[in-house]
Amino acid sequence: AELRTFQNEEIVFNLRVIGSSVLLLAQLCSAATISTESAFMQWFLHNGGVINGIEVAKFPAMGRGFAANRNLLENEKILQIPSKLIFSTKNMPNYLDDRTRKVLDTLGSDAALYAWLLLERHKPDSFFKPYLDILPAYVPSLVYFNQTELQELQSSTLINEVLEMQSSARADYRAFLGAYNKVMSRRADTSVPVEEVSYDEYLWAMSMFNSRGLRFQGPVYMAPMADIFNFQPHPAARPANNGDFFAKHHKLDASGISVFSDRAHKLSDPTNIAGGQQVFEDYGDNSDEIYFKYHGFVADENPFRCAILGLDAIGTDLVGLLPSGANSLASTGQSAGGLLPGISATHRALVDALEFQRLPSKCVDRVVDPTAENSLVANSATATTGGYFGKGLEVMLILLSFTEKEASHCMHYISTSTSNSASHGKNKAAAKNWPGIFKECKFSAAEEFLRSVRSTKPTAKTNVLESQAPGTLNHRVLTTIHRFLELNLERDNVTSSIADDSLILSDLQSQLSVPASDSSTDSATQKALLHKYLAVKYRFHRKKLLLNVAERYGASSVATKLTTSHGLAMSATRVGGENSEDPDSPAWMSEDFSDSSLSALSAALMDNKGRRLEVNGVAADDASAEDLLRTPLSMDAPLSEKIRVFNAWFHSLSPAPCHIAAKEIPEFRMGTITTKSIEKGEIYLGISTTHGGIMDSEVAQNGPNKDVSGLIARIVAQYPKRDDFHELLFFLLHERFVRKEQSFYWPYLSLLPTYEDMENNAFVPLLWGEEDVKTRLGPSDVAGLIGDYHIKTRNRYNSLVKMPLIKEFFPDVPGADERNVGIFSFRNYQWATVILDSRAIWWAGKRHLVPMLDFVNCQEHSIDKSLLHSTVLDPSGKYAITKAAREFQAGEQLFENYGQPNHIYFTYHGFLLQNNSHDCVHLEMPLTSSDLAAINVQKAAPVLQKLRLSPSKPSLLPVCLTHPVAPMVWAFLAVKTNTFESLHEKQLLGKANVPGADALLSMLDERLAQYSAFQPSGHRAAEQLLAAEVQHLLMVRGKVAQDRALQAAQEDYDEL
């Protein structure tokens, strides 16, 4: 018996624990239980938590928060949360057994944490129970909003973002259920019914992490006590800086998380009285969309509020406004396709010459008068950047204001200046004289005019449009901007004005029986009212911002619509603050036209002490790096030279961040090394999905290679079902074998292994002959896997090569043999297939060729073998980010662990790992005619159906055999041994059992004998695979035999 005493002001409990029963001997005062707040505080302090100068309190209209109990200094440490109390992936192994953790790891880091939180919530004796008890039952984030409620946002962009978020949440929930059921099936006591986890519960867990979690360079941490602070922007203005301000006041180390006050607090300060001495926190450089989508609130004041403006869905309408002669109706050179259908051929050519890949957009800040009294906005960066459409969007609007004559003049200058440059087919973005182009084409003059418009406060007596002579470029640009703003309003089908929304908010506030910002209510009516209140509040602030921008540009028609029941509430996720450009922008958007145009490359090649790193000779000055990009690069150039050019090219694309560089490494041919020390979980590479050099089907369809995009358009017109693999394959073949040195991607493509490299290496099974597969792999069922791969590849090629579209598109060239009679030869098709299957990085359900990232070699960590590679999209969906799975020192080769078995590595990637902890042996287990004859097929049908085996003819079950043996293997063996009925009665179907173990041991002995009798071929790679399979099969056999002996002994004991 164990006696525990819990004491607090209200009650004393004596708990005597006997076995699994708890006898509660209590002397109750007036209270029946310890208050949840007191229990939580006691738990926090007892486990090492530290609170300094603040205390938990309740505040009207805000709920729980922190109050100061003394004066606080800025940057004073006020909280210390021990690591043992924090929900994080790093902490999971301390609370979950290995099997459970590995199951949850398959869900991804964030979803694994949601699952862990739900497991703890369903555990009556959870260590975290005092914390779980104080968590809110509900957070009104947008994931909970229904279709009707979403329409109240009056923002098509935000509605689409939320619908995607809801769709992803439903898919994640389905994956969670599979993992949850797997975990529950492994409980020690399976007699207790499994508690179901509803979709609402899953959303609750997700919203807890979204609204309360702290993110440190990617990973999320839910830290008790740190999540109690309420939001209020810092009184001192600051420019956005990727969350640097928040990170400054929240420190993570091995001991836990420390929180520092982000402002001074004086109890005597009259400005604090209204808040009831509350201590607030600034959550960072976030837009309203972030707070609403994930945190479930809309701030009264947010210095980082902005409204997204773009050409999506309105571009065609805007084209109709073009000056006479600029649109297709008034021009002989019509161009129907591209980014802006209907635009004239000349304007379309200019769009292409400026290297737009997508229609630009910008999250526009409000325009602030620097003389305003409100220091929070008047002194911020918004005072100078407010109302700015961003380089890309502004240039596009100016371009759409050009007459046909102006567009033709600009195109002539670009083509003349480019042809006279020394690019020699190299990166055209680096070769073009952007300052000269912008000056000659009048872009610079128009930009300067718009800058002056934004900096001049409008008055009732001035009209900026009327101040410009009709027909001039300035007048046309302003007219285009006015129409652009009008179309953005129309896109969202706004049905209320700013004044209307104000009245609606007042009415909703009075209807709410609880404060509007209190999310604890579980009443359906109250939730519906709260949802509408927040949606209207969101659109109200957005309309005020757009009215401010419209007035600055003199768009009176837009201002009228916003004040007469035709409003606007645009939406976007901010990335990088007010001055950040849309990641779809071409190279010139960030061009400052200074002498140090390669400053990004220069910075990337510095270590953390400012010293230049030596990476295959790239540590030259900026001029040398620029020379590399201008120097013709032959396919026959030395590998070291290709790597030097690639590093310069890649860094010129401004990856953010980039802490690795390509390097020649003889053992691997090449790889990547770190340019600074990298912490575990730190983002070491961030690449724009549109101008970061990535090759995928999206760029193939919509990018600057109009030949390939035209081919895809013609294919889709005939065969509407999209083919992500082949669209990218056509793109790759065209850039590599048609454009060659003229390709924008050539510095990357030149480093890819050639067909000859693959053939000489002899480690690429797709290039082996049929006889090679048999003689090299003999008894291994991987031979059948590779044979199927060969057949699938050949069949796909045979189908494609018959298509007239393909035959016409790829030109014939003289070949050395019948396999290479054109660009679209089977030889080249095999090469491209190997490249895509071995090097592609996956996210959002599609494959992508990612320069630099696909040069990272694979290796397991010597200690923690569960650390796996993951590349994901950032919240904006416009950057692909990769985090380090472990720590790396500066100059060390960076490795990633893909977490695949060796037969996958061998078949598709052309390598294998020794002592691969994720390994298993690919086996094809036979269900023979005699097996089927011995069983009652009708009764076995449900099992066979789940195993996808035929009940009427022999078939093979492909498995990846390891230990512990998978349930599907035990179910298969139950059918094969005709014991499935008796095992089902004993509730052992799909579980380890003696008859199944005997059958499996017999199969393994037979297979091992085949390996022993096989005559090695002398092929090094094949022999390595066979040796690894034998070693793994012997391990499985030994463990199955051991388990079988123990189980047989248990059965004998039970019978006795």
Side-chain angles (χ1 to χ4, degrees):
E2 180 181 1
L3 186 66
R4 300 179 180 178
T5 303
F6 293 84
Q7 296 180 319
N8 81 338
E9 301 168 354
E10 301 169 332
I11 191 168
V12 176
F13 286 91
N14 290 316
L15 288 79
R16 185 174 301 277
V17 184
I18 303 176
S20 61
S21 302
V22 178
L23 303 180
L24 176 62
L25 309 176
Q27 207 57 25
L28 299 181
C29 300
S30 59
T33 62
I34 302 176
S35 70
T36 54
E37 283 84 359
S38 298
F40 168 64
M41 183 66 72
Q42 196 174 75
W43 172 79
F44 181 78
L45 296 175
H46 178 73
N47 286 286
V50 177
I51 303 178
N52 178 31
I54 57 176
E55 58 192 34
V56 180
K58 291 280 184 75
F59 296 91
M62 300 194 81
R64 192 182 287 116
F66 276 120
N69 55 30
R70 62 171 176 79
N71 291 342
L72 298 176
L73 300 174
E74 187 172 356
N75 296 322
E76 182 176 355
K77 188 173 181 179
I78 52 179
L79 275 183
Q80 175 66 39
I81 302 95
S83 60
K84 65 184 289 188
L85 303 184
I86 299 172
F87 278 92
S88 67
T89 52
K90 184 177 181 180
N91 220 9
M92 284 176 63
N94 297 325
Y95 294 94
L96 300 176
D97 61 77
D98 287 344
R99 289 193 302 179
T100 300
R101 182 172 57 81
K102 287 180 179 178
V103 172
L104 298 192
D105 282 345
T106 63
L107 300 174
S109 59
D110 283 8
L113 289 173
Y114 309 159
W116 179 24
L117 180 63
L118 288 169
L119 289 174
E120 295 293 342
R121 196 188 196 197
H122 281 253
K123 190 187 302 181
D125 58 346
S126 170
F127 167 73
F128 296 96
K129 188 177 187 305
Y131 175 52
L132 299 177
D133 287 344
I134 72 158
L135 291 178
Y138 169 71
V139 171
S141 65
L142 284 170
V143 74
Y144 285 105
F145 280 44
N146 60 36
Q147 288 279 3
T148 302
E149 292 165 341
L150 288 176
Q151 295 306 313
E152 295 289 351
L153 296 170
Q154 296 182 4
S155 169
S156 59
T157 309
L158 183 56
I159 290 171
N160 290 335
E161 288 180 8
V162 175
L163 292 176
E164 289 182 11
M165 181 170 70
Q166 292 174 338
S167 176
S168 296
R170 286 189 288 270
D172 292 344
Y173 172 64
R174 291 191 292 270
F176 159 78
L177 285 180
Y180 179 75
N181 292 332
K182 187 178 293 186
V183 170
M184 291 296 101
S185 68
R186 295 174 174 177
R187 294 171 302 155
D189 184 4
T190 56
S191 62
V192 180
V194 175
E195 291 188 63
E196 296 295 328
V197 177
S198 67
Y199 180 53
D200 281 344
E201 274 192 282
Y202 184 79
L203 289 184
W204 171 85
M206 183 175 76
S207 66
M208 289 302 104
F209 276 95
N210 283 342
S211 63
R212 311 177 79 83
L214 309 178
R215 287 197 181 270
F216 294 88
Q217 295 183 331
V220 62
Y221 298 76
M222 198 159 84
M225 205 65 78
D227 55 0
I228 291 178
F229 288 99
N230 287 314
F231 169 80
Q232 188 183 79
H234 195 278
R238 69 178 189 276
N241 191 21
N242 296 311
D244 180 68
F245 180 84
F246 187 82
K248 178 182 177 182
H249 298 95
H250 298 78
K251 303 295 183 183
L252 172 70
D253 57 30
S255 65
I257 293 175
S258 302
V259 180
F260 300 82
S261 57
D262 66 11
R263 68 199 76 182
H265 190 102
K266 293 183 179 180
L267 296 184
S268 59
D269 188 342
T271 62
N272 291 325
I273 299 301
Q277 310 293 341
Q278 185 165 184
V279 178
F280 293 102
E281 190 171 69
D282 190 320
Y283 291 175
D285 315 337
N286 302 310
S287 66
D288 282 354
E289 287 74 23
I290 294 295
Y291 290 137
F292 200 178
K293 283 171 65 176
Y294 302 111
H295 295 261
F297 73 87
V298 178
D300 292 329
E301 187 175 326
N302 182 5
F304 300 102
R305 180 169 287 146
C306 60
I308 194 71
L309 294 175
L311 290 163
D312 287 337
I314 68 168
T316 303
D317 293 329
L318 190 61
V319 167
L321 182 72
L322 292 174
S324 177
N327 59 56
S328 61
L329 298 178
S331 171
T332 57
Q334 181 174 344
S335 176
L339 297 178
L340 292 168
I343 197 173
S344 79
T346 307
H347 282 72
R348 167 65 187 279
L350 187 51
V351 169
D352 291 343
L354 291 175
E355 299 175 11
F356 282 102
Q357 294 185 13
R358 292 186 181 181
L359 294 175
S361 61
K362 178 70 166 64
C363 203
V364 181
D365 303 294
R366 63 170 298 202
V367 186
V368 179
D369 179 6
T371 63
E373 295 180 1
N374 186 343
S375 62
L376 185 60
V377 289
N379 298 324
S380 68
T382 305
T384 56
T385 66
Y388 180 44
F389 294 128
K391 186 87 172 180
L393 181 54
E394 191 168 83
V395 167
M396 181 66 88
L397 292 173
I398 296 169
L399 182 154
L400 293 178
S401 306
F402 282 172
T403 63
E404 184 76 2
K405 182 178 179 180
E406 289 168 333
S408 297
H409 173 76
C410 187
M411 269 307 304
H412 176 72
Y413 181 82
I414 292 176
S415 60
T416 303
S417 61
T418 302
S419 63
N420 291 334
S421 70
S423 63
H424 295 291
K426 289 299 299 139
N427 183 0
K428 294 184 179 181
K432 287 177 180 173
N433 175 19
W434 293 120
I437 291 171
F438 272 58
K439 182 178 179 181
E440 183 68 24
C441 294
K442 304 291 180 62
F443 286 118
S444 296
E447 287 179 300
E448 184 58 38
F449 165 68
L450 293 176
R451 195 157 29 243
S452 69
V453 169
R454 293 192 298 273
S455 62
T456 304
K457 185 177 181 180
T459 67
K461 296 180 180 180
T462 61
N463 184 304
V464 65
L465 182 63
E466 293 179 359
S467 68
Q468 302 301 310
T472 62
L473 179 58
N474 288 349
H475 190 278
R476 283 183 271 121
V477 168
L478 280 176
T479 304
T480 301
I481 288 175
H482 291 182
R483 181 59 179 151
F484 167 71
L485 292 174
E486 290 172 0
L487 291 171
N488 271 277
L489 299 185
E490 294 171 10
R491 178 177 60 182
D492 291 296
N493 192 28
V494 176
T495 56
S496 62
S497 68
I498 294 173
D500 294 334
D501 288 345
S502 180
L503 291 174
I504 295 170
L505 284 174
S506 178
D507 180 59
L508 288 170
Q509 185 84 50
S510 65
Q511 292 183 59
L512 287 166
S513 61
V514 295
S517 57
D518 186 350
S519 61
S520 61
T521 176
D522 57 3
S523 162
T525 302
Q526 291 295 304
K527 283 183 179 178
L529 285 171
L530 181 55
H531 287 185
K532 185 169 183 178
Y533 173 85
L534 291 171
V536 175
K537 185 177 181 181
Y538 165 82
R539 78 193 193 204
F540 168 75
H541 284 296
R542 281 295 178 267
K543 291 170 188 174
K544 287 178 66 177
L545 189 152
L546 265 296
L547 176 61
N548 164 269
V549 174
E551 288 176 340
R552 188 56 61 118
Y553 284 103
S556 57
S557 60
V558 176
T560 300
K561 289 184 178 182
L562 287 169
T563 54
T564 55
S565 299
H566 295 281
L568 171 68
M570 296 302 295
S571 67
T573 298
R574 173 190 295 273
V575 180
E578 302 99 324
N579 295 312
S580 64
E581 296 294 343
D582 184 84
D584 297 334
S585 58
W588 47 262
M589 286 192 193
S590 58
E591 178 62 77
D592 59 5
F593 304 144
S594 64
D595 292 335
S596 56
S597 59
L598 289 179
S599 58
L601 172 59
S602 177
L605 296 175
M606 295 285 189
D607 66 12
N608 54 11
K609 295 183 180 180
R611 298 172 302 198
R612 297 188 69 76
L613 289 170
E614 293 287 343
V615 183
N616 280 84
V618 178
D621 57 22
D622 292 341
S624 297
E626 193 173 45
D627 288 342
L628 283 176
L629 295 177
R630 292 174 174 170
T631 304
L633 180 65
S634 166
M635 195 64 199
D636 298 326
L639 179 61
S640 59
E641 179 67 15
K642 292 180 181 179
I643 291 175
R644 292 178 69 230
V645 173
F646 169 79
N647 280 327
W649 171 79
F650 184 74
H651 285 290
S652 74
L653 302 176
S654 300
C658 180
H659 301 319
I660 58 174
K663 182 176 174 62
E664 184 173 6
I665 302 174
E667 181 183 356
F668 297 90
R669 179 174 174 266
M670 65 177 296
T672 58
I673 65 167
T674 58
T675 57
K676 63 178 283 292
S677 295
I678 299 176
E679 299 296 323
K680 179 181 177 181
E682 180 180 355
I683 298 174
Y684 67 81
L685 191 61
I687 307 177
S688 166
T689 56
T690 55
H691 69 268
I694 293 174
M695 300 181 72
D696 56 23
S697 58
E698 186 70 23
V699 179
Q701 183 188 26
N702 300 309
N705 188 328
K706 303 309 174 188
D707 293 332
V708 172
S709 62
L711 171 66
I712 293 173
R714 292 191 296 275
I715 292 175
V716 172
Q718 291 188 26
Y719 311 96
K721 186 177 180 181
R722 296 291 300 277
D723 184 344
D724 166 65
F725 177 85
H726 282 104
E727 288 176 12
L728 177 53
L729 183 139
F730 298 149
F731 184 29
L732 174 63
L733 287 176
H734 193 267
E735 295 286 343
R736 171 62 180 84
F737 295 107
V738 178
R739 287 193 165 186
K740 297 189 285 190
E741 289 87 350
Q742 305 297 320
S743 171
F744 166 76
Y745 303 97
W746 187 246
Y748 167 61
L749 298 175
S750 69
L751 279 171
L752 296 180
T754 64
Y755 187 97
E756 290 74 15
D757 293 334
M758 298 175 183
E759 203 168 34
N760 294 336
N761 186 36
F763 215 142
V764 183
L766 185 61
L767 306 189
W768 294 359
E770 184 178 348
E771 192 61 31
D772 291 333
V773 175
K774 294 179 181 178
T775 58
R776 292 172 180 175
L777 295 179
S780 174
D781 284 345
V782 175
L785 197 66
I786 294 171
D788 292 342
Y789 189 23
H790 281 197
I791 294 171
K792 178 182 177 182
T793 302
R794 171 58 78 174
N795 289 344
R796 291 192 307 190
Y797 175 77
N798 288 341
S799 297
L800 289 169
V801 81
K802 296 174 184 176
M803 293 173 58
L805 280 174
I806 304 299
K807 293 171 66 176
E808 293 168 5
F809 181 76
F810 289 104
D812 287 345
V813 295
D817 55 58
E818 69 277 4
R819 294 189 303 168
N820 190 19
V821 296
I823 299 298
F824 200 68
S825 63
F826 183 59
R827 175 191 180 95
N828 285 350
Y829 184 83
Q830 281 182 302
W831 172 85
T833 298
V834 172
I835 292 296
L836 296 186
D837 285 344
S838 66
R839 310 183 82 85
I841 311 293
W842 285 76
W843 64 75
K846 291 186 177 182
R847 73 193 77 218
H848 315 261
L849 288 177
V850 187
M852 188 66 80
L853 190 58
D854 81 346
F855 296 148
V856 175
N857 289 311
C858 180
Q859 187 181 82
E860 274 196 342
H861 190 269
S862 58
I863 299 175
D864 191 347
K865 301 180 184 299
S866 65
L867 303 176
L868 302 181
H869 165 263
S870 175
T871 295
V872 298
L873 293 178
D874 74 344
S876 74
K878 295 179 179 179
Y879 271 83
I881 58 174
T882 307
K883 302 170 187 175
R886 63 177 180 88
E887 294 181 358
F888 291 92
Q889 299 300 313
E892 180 181 356
Q893 183 176 184
L894 186 137
F895 290 100
E896 291 283 9
N897 182 6
Y898 305 150
Q900 297 291 334
N902 273 335
H903 71 269
I904 296 295
Y905 288 144
F906 187 86
T907 304
Y908 301 104
H909 295 263
F911 70 88
L912 54 80
L913 295 180
Q914 299 297 324
N915 303 315
N916 182 359
S917 65
H918 296 273
D919 203 11
C920 56
V921 178
H922 174 75
L923 292 180
E924 296 175 351
M925 294 185 164
L927 188 67
T928 64
S929 299
S930 56
D931 294 332
L932 290 171
I935 64 175
N936 185 324
V937 175
Q938 186 175 1
K939 290 184 177 180
V943 182
L944 293 173
Q945 185 177 10
K946 287 185 177 181
L947 296 174
R948 297 183 179 180
L949 295 176
S950 171
S952 58
K953 60 182 179 180
S955 51
L956 297 172
L957 176 71
V959 301
C960 202
L961 187 66
T962 190
H963 190 275
V965 177
M968 66 178 297
V969 175
W970 292 119
F972 170 82
L973 293 169
V975 173
K976 191 171 181 66
T977 58
N978 197 17
T979 56
F980 65 92
E981 291 182 83
S982 61
L983 291 173
H984 178 69
E985 292 174 0
K986 298 177 183 178
Q987 296 185 336
L988 288 176
L989 187 62
K991 298 179 181 179
N993 59 87
V994 172
D998 288 338
L1000 180 57
L1001 290 171
S1002 176
M1003 292 173 65
L1004 291 176
D1005 287 341
E1006 182 180 345
R1007 181 57 64 95
L1008 287 168
Q1010 293 174 3
Y1011 279 98
S1012 179
F1014 179 69
Q1015 193 69 27
S1017 64
H1019 188 276
R1020 181 174 59 87
E1023 289 183 5
Q1024 288 176 352
L1025 176 69
L1026 296 178
E1029 288 187 336
V1030 169
Q1031 183 181 5
H1032 202 86
L1033 289 175
L1034 287 171
M1035 179 277 293
V1036 173
R1037 193 201 183 287
K1039 290 185 178 293
V1040 169
Q1042 186 178 27
D1043 293 345
R1044 188 254 182 230
L1046 291 172
Q1047 195 161 11
Q1050 182 65 47
E1051 290 180 1
D1052 291 343
Y1053 176 80
D1054 292 341
E1055 185 178 352
L1056 179 62

